[in-house]
Amino acid sequence: MEYEPVIGLEVHAQLKTNTKIFCGCSTAFGAPPNTHTCPVCLGMPGVLPVLNRTVVEYAVKMALATHCTINHVSEWARKNYFYPDLPKGYQISQYDRPLAERGYVDLDINEEGKRVNITRIHMEEDAGKLIHDESAPVSYVDLNRAGVPLIEIVSEPDMRSPEEGAAYLRRLHEILVYLEICDGNMEEGNFRCDANVSLRPKGEPAFGTRTELKNMNSFRNVQRALEYEIRRQQYVLESGGTVIQETRLWDDARGTTLPMRGKEEAHDYRYFPDPDLVPVTVADEWIDEIRRTLPELPREKRERFIREYEIPAYDAGVLTASRAIADYYEQVATRCGKPKAASNWVMGDILGHIKEDKVEMEDCPITAADLGNLVRLIDDGTISGKMAKDVFEEMWSSGEKPETVIKKRGLVQITDAGALEAVVDEVIAANPAQVEQFRGGKEKVFGFFVGQVMKKTKGQASPGLVNEILKRKLSGS
Amino acid sequence: MKITKDQVSHVADLARLTINEQEQELFTKQLNDILMYMDMLNSVDTTNVEPMTHAMEGTEAFREDVVRSSLPLDAVLANAPDDDGASFKVPKIIE
């Protein structure tokens, strides 16, 4: 029987605020354990949480970017469970009245694309971190992360393959990073994903029993875990068994999913409204204000680049991988007026060097204006493309302007046809044998002549002009 | 009966409370009385009334996103049953 996978994803994204969601402790990553804690996030008795306005603003941004309906009034709920990383014995979250509902994102996969619906987006606090002792039966609790703001984005079970799951995650990640509300670093845990997977016979409308997958800390692992779990469930079903509803942990080293212990699974959280926090009111005026601050999102930017700069879809994809790259490209393209040439320089030379030298786009040693000028200097014939590569190298290492480098190296292209004709005549006169070969049909010798001319002009001859003059002279006219 | 002895025992378990047989009987009866009273309240027609989740409705109570100093570490760990000078120390809870 052919089975169809049904996948839904829950994403937890850490919001990039300065302070925690309900207290003024810093959210900075990497501080010594427990130095970013206070009576509120330690869960001391008698304290009162006060909501960070920026958390709501960021959550609304994400909700707008994913076409959700924002609830003007949403509520806080306590999710009750015991675990040492949760000092209060409950997590403050949102339950039956979340901040936002019913949105979607569009994926550019296959010919026809794919829409994945979003069930809800809600705000909540993160838990602390546990470090387990390798040799003793103890764990160490660091509560710096307790109370760091999160949004949880829950999708509908709309995905039908691990590839669609991965594409959906990449899209959410891209939007969060573009909105500058989340760092999106999966290794540091500020973008986490759980998956719900089930199988059903193809064509069957009802869903099968699902399992929940946790502990996947990269896009690749999400896809691998989904692939494994689909194969596992298929095996269970085909051998006459039934899938048990359970939570399974992805084991990266073994490449398998393993069931979590039953105890931690008791999904009996006894949610109830948190009496310490008033409902969150988000008026239309505030929503409109936030909407005005939304940047152009990656998908729209890609489409505009293709339309406005007439560059290939591939280029547009690479150039919109981050806002910093996109902004840089746009400045280069505008400055030189040659969008495709600008694209080649940014995609090849700039991104290549960025990767090689492991620097951030923001710290690129060549300004967009200088690169734009360099492209313009090639276009107007001042220097050749080949010279430009050398100039680029020097600009990269010294941060100097292209004009400065060109002047310093005396790199001015010879574009005077009369001067070049004289050189070409010399070369032809000095190499009668090669001229014979060329006229006899051996066209490869042409490269030899170009090389000779370049040598005599110290590489400063305009290659286009050299080719033109050589062709004319060698064919005997 | 609105709630059974088994449910009471389950909830006690979730709340990490140890209760004996007699207490189970007692709490089941007491909780039933409370839930029966809720039933009485339910007889009031509340069709067009928004459920109240908080005593103060429509109040904006926000904090600006500005860092304030945290507690000194010795104060953070002062009440911990056990610590290593940096972190709280607890019995290992995962396999």
PDB file of all heavy atoms in Angstrom, chain A residues 98-121:
ATOM      1  N   PRO A  98      -4.781  32.846  22.074  1.00  0.00           N
ATOM      2  CA  PRO A  98      -3.414  33.244  21.706  1.00  0.00           C
ATOM      3  C   PRO A  98      -3.400  34.624  21.053  1.00  0.00           C
ATOM      4  O   PRO A  98      -4.449  35.171  20.726  1.00  0.00           O
ATOM      5  CB  PRO A  98      -3.010  32.167  20.703  1.00  0.00           C
ATOM      6  CG  PRO A  98      -4.290  31.744  20.075  1.00  0.00           C
ATOM      7  CD  PRO A  98      -5.351  31.878  21.138  1.00  0.00           C
ATOM      8  N   LEU A  99      -2.198  35.151  20.845  1.00  0.00           N
ATOM      9  CA  LEU A  99      -2.058  36.480  20.237  1.00  0.00           C
ATOM     10  C   LEU A  99      -2.596  36.524  18.811  1.00  0.00           C
ATOM     11  O   LEU A  99      -3.229  37.485  18.398  1.00  0.00           O
ATOM     12  CB  LEU A  99      -0.578  36.883  20.230  1.00  0.00           C
ATOM     13  CG  LEU A  99      -0.311  38.241  19.591  1.00  0.00           C
ATOM     14  CD1 LEU A  99      -0.682  39.374  20.536  1.00  0.00           C
ATOM     15  CD2 LEU A  99       1.139  38.361  19.155  1.00  0.00           C
ATOM     16  N   ALA A 100      -2.321  35.473  18.047  1.00  0.00           N
ATOM     17  CA  ALA A 100      -2.673  35.527  16.626  1.00  0.00           C
ATOM     18  C   ALA A 100      -3.036  34.140  16.109  1.00  0.00           C
ATOM     19  O   ALA A 100      -2.550  33.133  16.622  1.00  0.00           O
ATOM     20  CB  ALA A 100      -1.504  36.090  15.818  1.00  0.00           C
ATOM     21  N   GLU A 101      -3.914  34.114  15.088  1.00  0.00           N
ATOM     22  CA  GLU A 101      -4.386  32.837  14.541  1.00  0.00           C
ATOM     23  C   GLU A 101      -4.576  32.932  13.026  1.00  0.00           C
ATOM     24  O   GLU A 101      -4.654  34.017  12.468  1.00  0.00           O
ATOM     25  CB  GLU A 101      -5.733  32.468  15.174  1.00  0.00           C
ATOM     26  CG  GLU A 101      -5.661  32.218  16.673  1.00  0.00           C
ATOM     27  CD  GLU A 101      -7.058  32.088  17.301  1.00  0.00           C
ATOM     28  OE1 GLU A 101      -7.629  33.133  17.666  1.00  0.00           O
ATOM     29  OE2 GLU A 101      -7.549  30.957  17.397  1.00  0.00           O
ATOM     30  N   ARG A 102      -4.666  31.765  12.423  1.00  0.00           N
ATOM     31  CA  ARG A 102      -5.061  31.623  11.015  1.00  0.00           C
ATOM     32  C   ARG A 102      -4.215  32.439  10.027  1.00  0.00           C
ATOM     33  O   ARG A 102      -4.703  33.359   9.401  1.00  0.00           O
ATOM     34  CB  ARG A 102      -6.542  31.980  10.840  1.00  0.00           C
ATOM     35  CG  ARG A 102      -7.501  31.028  11.543  1.00  0.00           C
ATOM     36  CD  ARG A 102      -8.941  31.433  11.341  1.00  0.00           C
ATOM     37  NE  ARG A 102      -9.159  32.828  11.756  1.00  0.00           N
ATOM     38  CZ  ARG A 102      -9.380  33.217  13.020  1.00  0.00           C
ATOM     39  NH1 ARG A 102      -9.407  32.330  13.985  1.00  0.00           N
ATOM     40  NH2 ARG A 102      -9.570  34.480  13.300  1.00  0.00           N
ATOM     41  N   GLY A 103      -2.945  32.082   9.904  1.00  0.00           N
ATOM     42  CA  GLY A 103      -2.102  32.742   8.911  1.00  0.00           C
ATOM     43  C   GLY A 103      -1.597  31.727   7.899  1.00  0.00           C
ATOM     44  O   GLY A 103      -2.087  30.594   7.857  1.00  0.00           O
ATOM     45  N   TYR A 104      -0.611  32.113   7.101  1.00  0.00           N
ATOM     46  CA  TYR A 104      -0.033  31.171   6.139  1.00  0.00           C
ATOM     47  C   TYR A 104       1.308  31.686   5.635  1.00  0.00           C
ATOM     48  O   TYR A 104       1.602  32.881   5.758  1.00  0.00           O
ATOM     49  CB  TYR A 104      -0.973  30.934   4.956  1.00  0.00           C
ATOM     50  CG  TYR A 104      -1.227  32.159   4.124  1.00  0.00           C
ATOM     51  CD1 TYR A 104      -0.372  32.522   3.084  1.00  0.00           C
ATOM     52  CD2 TYR A 104      -2.324  32.987   4.374  1.00  0.00           C
ATOM     53  CE1 TYR A 104      -0.589  33.663   2.334  1.00  0.00           C
ATOM     54  CE2 TYR A 104      -2.547  34.137   3.626  1.00  0.00           C
ATOM     55  CZ  TYR A 104      -1.683  34.473   2.617  1.00  0.00           C
ATOM     56  OH  TYR A 104      -1.878  35.620   1.871  1.00  0.00           O
ATOM     57  N   VAL A 105       2.121  30.767   5.109  1.00  0.00           N
ATOM     58  CA  VAL A 105       3.283  31.166   4.316  1.00  0.00           C
ATOM     59  C   VAL A 105       3.247  30.381   3.010  1.00  0.00           C
ATOM     60  O   VAL A 105       2.718  29.267   2.967  1.00  0.00           O
ATOM     61  CB  VAL A 105       4.638  30.903   5.016  1.00  0.00           C
ATOM     62  CG1 VAL A 105       4.840  31.816   6.205  1.00  0.00           C
ATOM     63  CG2 VAL A 105       4.782  29.455   5.438  1.00  0.00           C
ATOM     64  N   ASP A 106       3.776  30.979   1.956  1.00  0.00           N
ATOM     65  CA  ASP A 106       3.841  30.310   0.657  1.00  0.00           C
ATOM     66  C   ASP A 106       5.263  29.838   0.408  1.00  0.00           C
ATOM     67  O   ASP A 106       6.214  30.579   0.622  1.00  0.00           O
ATOM     68  CB  ASP A 106       3.403  31.268  -0.462  1.00  0.00           C
ATOM     69  CG  ASP A 106       1.896  31.483  -0.442  1.00  0.00           C
ATOM     70  OD1 ASP A 106       1.173  30.505  -0.160  1.00  0.00           O
ATOM     71  OD2 ASP A 106       1.454  32.613  -0.688  1.00  0.00           O
ATOM     72  N   LEU A 107       5.390  28.587  -0.007  1.00  0.00           N
ATOM     73  CA  LEU A 107       6.709  28.034  -0.302  1.00  0.00           C
ATOM     74  C   LEU A 107       6.913  27.975  -1.803  1.00  0.00           C
ATOM     75  O   LEU A 107       5.980  27.659  -2.539  1.00  0.00           O
ATOM     76  CB  LEU A 107       6.831  26.617   0.278  1.00  0.00           C
ATOM     77  CG  LEU A 107       6.430  26.424   1.737  1.00  0.00           C
ATOM     78  CD1 LEU A 107       6.629  24.969   2.143  1.00  0.00           C
ATOM     79  CD2 LEU A 107       7.225  27.345   2.638  1.00  0.00           C
ATOM     80  N   ASP A 108       8.141  28.278  -2.238  1.00  0.00           N
ATOM     81  CA  ASP A 108       8.452  28.196  -3.669  1.00  0.00           C
ATOM     82  C   ASP A 108       9.053  26.840  -3.979  1.00  0.00           C
ATOM     83  O   ASP A 108      10.221  26.740  -4.336  1.00  0.00           O
ATOM     84  CB  ASP A 108       9.431  29.306  -4.058  1.00  0.00           C
ATOM     85  CG  ASP A 108       8.852  30.661  -3.759  1.00  0.00           C
ATOM     86  OD1 ASP A 108       7.750  30.944  -4.239  1.00  0.00           O
ATOM     87  OD2 ASP A 108       9.495  31.427  -3.019  1.00  0.00           O
ATOM     88  N   ILE A 109       8.257  25.787  -3.797  1.00  0.00           N
ATOM     89  CA  ILE A 109       8.771  24.481  -4.199  1.00  0.00           C
ATOM     90  C   ILE A 109       7.846  23.930  -5.273  1.00  0.00           C
ATOM     91  O   ILE A 109       6.681  24.305  -5.339  1.00  0.00           O
ATOM     92  CB  ILE A 109       8.899  23.490  -3.014  1.00  0.00           C
ATOM     93  CG1 ILE A 109       7.581  23.406  -2.238  1.00  0.00           C
ATOM     94  CG2 ILE A 109      10.019  23.904  -2.077  1.00  0.00           C
ATOM     95  CD1 ILE A 109       7.592  22.278  -1.239  1.00  0.00           C
ATOM     96  N   ASN A 110       8.360  23.046  -6.068  1.00  0.00           N
ATOM     97  CA  ASN A 110       7.655  22.511  -7.239  1.00  0.00           C
ATOM     98  C   ASN A 110       7.267  23.655  -8.177  1.00  0.00           C
ATOM     99  O   ASN A 110       7.560  24.807  -7.925  1.00  0.00           O
ATOM    100  CB  ASN A 110       6.393  21.735  -6.853  1.00  0.00           C
ATOM    101  CG  ASN A 110       6.675  20.724  -5.758  1.00  0.00           C
ATOM    102  OD1 ASN A 110       7.758  20.177  -5.710  1.00  0.00           O
ATOM    103  ND2 ASN A 110       5.714  20.511  -4.890  1.00  0.00           N
ATOM    104  N   GLU A 111       6.571  23.307  -9.228  1.00  0.00           N
ATOM    105  CA  GLU A 111       6.136  24.309 -10.196  1.00  0.00           C
ATOM    106  C   GLU A 111       5.051  25.206  -9.609  1.00  0.00           C
ATOM    107  O   GLU A 111       5.088  26.413  -9.712  1.00  0.00           O
ATOM    108  CB  GLU A 111       5.573  23.601 -11.444  1.00  0.00           C
ATOM    109  CG  GLU A 111       6.630  23.007 -12.336  1.00  0.00           C
ATOM    110  CD  GLU A 111       7.469  24.087 -13.005  1.00  0.00           C
ATOM    111  OE1 GLU A 111       6.889  24.855 -13.791  1.00  0.00           O
ATOM    112  OE2 GLU A 111       8.680  24.163 -12.725  1.00  0.00           O
ATOM    113  N   GLU A 112       4.089  24.523  -8.955  1.00  0.00           N
ATOM    114  CA  GLU A 112       2.891  25.261  -8.542  1.00  0.00           C
ATOM    115  C   GLU A 112       3.015  25.916  -7.171  1.00  0.00           C
ATOM    116  O   GLU A 112       2.155  26.669  -6.741  1.00  0.00           O
ATOM    117  CB  GLU A 112       1.651  24.338  -8.599  1.00  0.00           C
ATOM    118  CG  GLU A 112       1.675  23.176  -7.614  1.00  0.00           C
ATOM    119  CD  GLU A 112       2.481  21.980  -8.163  1.00  0.00           C
ATOM    120  OE1 GLU A 112       3.307  22.155  -9.091  1.00  0.00           O
ATOM    121  OE2 GLU A 112       2.269  20.877  -7.655  1.00  0.00           O
ATOM    122  N   GLY A 113       4.135  25.659  -6.431  1.00  0.00           N
ATOM    123  CA  GLY A 113       4.290  26.228  -5.103  1.00  0.00           C
ATOM    124  C   GLY A 113       3.435  25.503  -4.083  1.00  0.00           C
ATOM    125  O   GLY A 113       2.754  24.523  -4.418  1.00  0.00           O
ATOM    126  N   LYS A 114       3.462  25.968  -2.851  1.00  0.00           N
ATOM    127  CA  LYS A 114       2.745  25.261  -1.790  1.00  0.00           C
ATOM    128  C   LYS A 114       2.424  26.243  -0.671  1.00  0.00           C
ATOM    129  O   LYS A 114       3.292  27.000  -0.242  1.00  0.00           O
ATOM    130  CB  LYS A 114       3.635  24.134  -1.256  1.00  0.00           C
ATOM    131  CG  LYS A 114       3.205  23.547   0.052  1.00  0.00           C
ATOM    132  CD  LYS A 114       2.450  22.267  -0.154  1.00  0.00           C
ATOM    133  CE  LYS A 114       1.814  21.792   1.141  1.00  0.00           C
ATOM    134  NZ  LYS A 114       1.012  20.595   0.944  1.00  0.00           N
ATOM    135  N   ARG A 115       1.174  26.252  -0.236  1.00  0.00           N
ATOM    136  CA  ARG A 115       0.799  27.103   0.892  1.00  0.00           C
ATOM    137  C   ARG A 115       0.695  26.268   2.155  1.00  0.00           C
ATOM    138  O   ARG A 115       0.026  25.230   2.163  1.00  0.00           O
ATOM    139  CB  ARG A 115      -0.530  27.805   0.609  1.00  0.00           C
ATOM    140  CG  ARG A 115      -1.039  28.587   1.826  1.00  0.00           C
ATOM    141  CD  ARG A 115      -2.101  29.593   1.469  1.00  0.00           C
ATOM    142  NE  ARG A 115      -1.548  30.656   0.616  1.00  0.00           N
ATOM    143  CZ  ARG A 115      -2.244  31.724   0.238  1.00  0.00           C
ATOM    144  NH1 ARG A 115      -3.507  31.874   0.581  1.00  0.00           N
ATOM    145  NH2 ARG A 115      -1.680  32.641  -0.522  1.00  0.00           N
ATOM    146  N   VAL A 116       1.376  26.685   3.208  1.00  0.00           N
ATOM    147  CA  VAL A 116       1.257  26.015   4.503  1.00  0.00           C
ATOM    148  C   VAL A 116       0.525  26.963   5.448  1.00  0.00           C
ATOM    149  O   VAL A 116       0.940  28.108   5.642  1.00  0.00           O
ATOM    150  CB  VAL A 116       2.641  25.648   5.090  1.00  0.00           C
ATOM    151  CG1 VAL A 116       2.493  25.039   6.482  1.00  0.00           C
ATOM    152  CG2 VAL A 116       3.368  24.683   4.164  1.00  0.00           C
ATOM    153  N   ASN A 117      -0.585  26.485   6.011  1.00  0.00           N
ATOM    154  CA  ASN A 117      -1.370  27.324   6.915  1.00  0.00           C
ATOM    155  C   ASN A 117      -0.795  27.299   8.325  1.00  0.00           C
ATOM    156  O   ASN A 117      -0.258  26.291   8.779  1.00  0.00           O
ATOM    157  CB  ASN A 117      -2.818  26.860   6.912  1.00  0.00           C
ATOM    158  CG  ASN A 117      -3.487  27.170   5.594  1.00  0.00           C
ATOM    159  OD1 ASN A 117      -3.731  28.328   5.268  1.00  0.00           O
ATOM    160  ND2 ASN A 117      -3.733  26.137   4.801  1.00  0.00           N
ATOM    161  N   ILE A 118      -0.932  28.438   8.985  1.00  0.00           N
ATOM    162  CA  ILE A 118      -0.459  28.560  10.365  1.00  0.00           C
ATOM    163  C   ILE A 118      -1.682  28.596  11.275  1.00  0.00           C
ATOM    164  O   ILE A 118      -2.611  29.382  11.050  1.00  0.00           O
ATOM    165  CB  ILE A 118       0.403  29.824  10.516  1.00  0.00           C
ATOM    166  CG1 ILE A 118       1.746  29.580   9.810  1.00  0.00           C
ATOM    167  CG2 ILE A 118       0.619  30.188  11.982  1.00  0.00           C
ATOM    168  CD1 ILE A 118       2.607  30.788   9.684  1.00  0.00           C
ATOM    169  N   THR A 119      -1.694  27.709  12.264  1.00  0.00           N
ATOM    170  CA  THR A 119      -2.826  27.630  13.176  1.00  0.00           C
ATOM    171  C   THR A 119      -2.828  28.811  14.127  1.00  0.00           C
ATOM    172  O   THR A 119      -3.834  29.493  14.294  1.00  0.00           O
ATOM    173  CB  THR A 119      -2.739  26.333  14.018  1.00  0.00           C
ATOM    174  OG1 THR A 119      -2.405  25.261  13.153  1.00  0.00           O
ATOM    175  CG2 THR A 119      -4.041  26.056  14.727  1.00  0.00           C
ATOM    176  N   ARG A 120      -1.659  29.051  14.758  1.00  0.00           N
ATOM    177  CA  ARG A 120      -1.601  30.090  15.782  1.00  0.00           C
ATOM    178  C   ARG A 120      -0.165  30.518  16.045  1.00  0.00           C
ATOM    179  O   ARG A 120       0.784  29.798  15.770  1.00  0.00           O
ATOM    180  CB  ARG A 120      -2.201  29.581  17.094  1.00  0.00           C
ATOM    181  CG  ARG A 120      -1.533  28.277  17.546  1.00  0.00           C
ATOM    182  CD  ARG A 120      -2.224  27.702  18.768  1.00  0.00           C
ATOM    183  NE  ARG A 120      -1.745  28.318  19.988  1.00  0.00           N
ATOM    184  CZ  ARG A 120      -2.502  28.452  21.078  1.00  0.00           C
ATOM    185  NH1 ARG A 120      -3.762  28.061  21.077  1.00  0.00           N
ATOM    186  NH2 ARG A 120      -2.004  28.999  22.166  1.00  0.00           N
ATOM    187  N   ILE A 121      -0.042  31.731  16.590  1.00  0.00           N
ATOM    188  CA  ILE A 121       1.253  32.201  17.106  1.00  0.00           C
ATOM    189  C   ILE A 121       0.977  32.711  18.515  1.00  0.00           C
ATOM    190  O   ILE A 121       0.084  33.530  18.714  1.00  0.00           O
ATOM    191  CB  ILE A 121       1.832  33.340  16.253  1.00  0.00           C
ATOM    192  CG1 ILE A 121       2.133  32.851  14.834  1.00  0.00           C
ATOM    193  CG2 ILE A 121       3.108  33.904  16.899  1.00  0.00           C
ATOM    194  CD1 ILE A 121       2.703  33.910  13.910  1.00  0.00           C
TER     195      ILE A 121
END
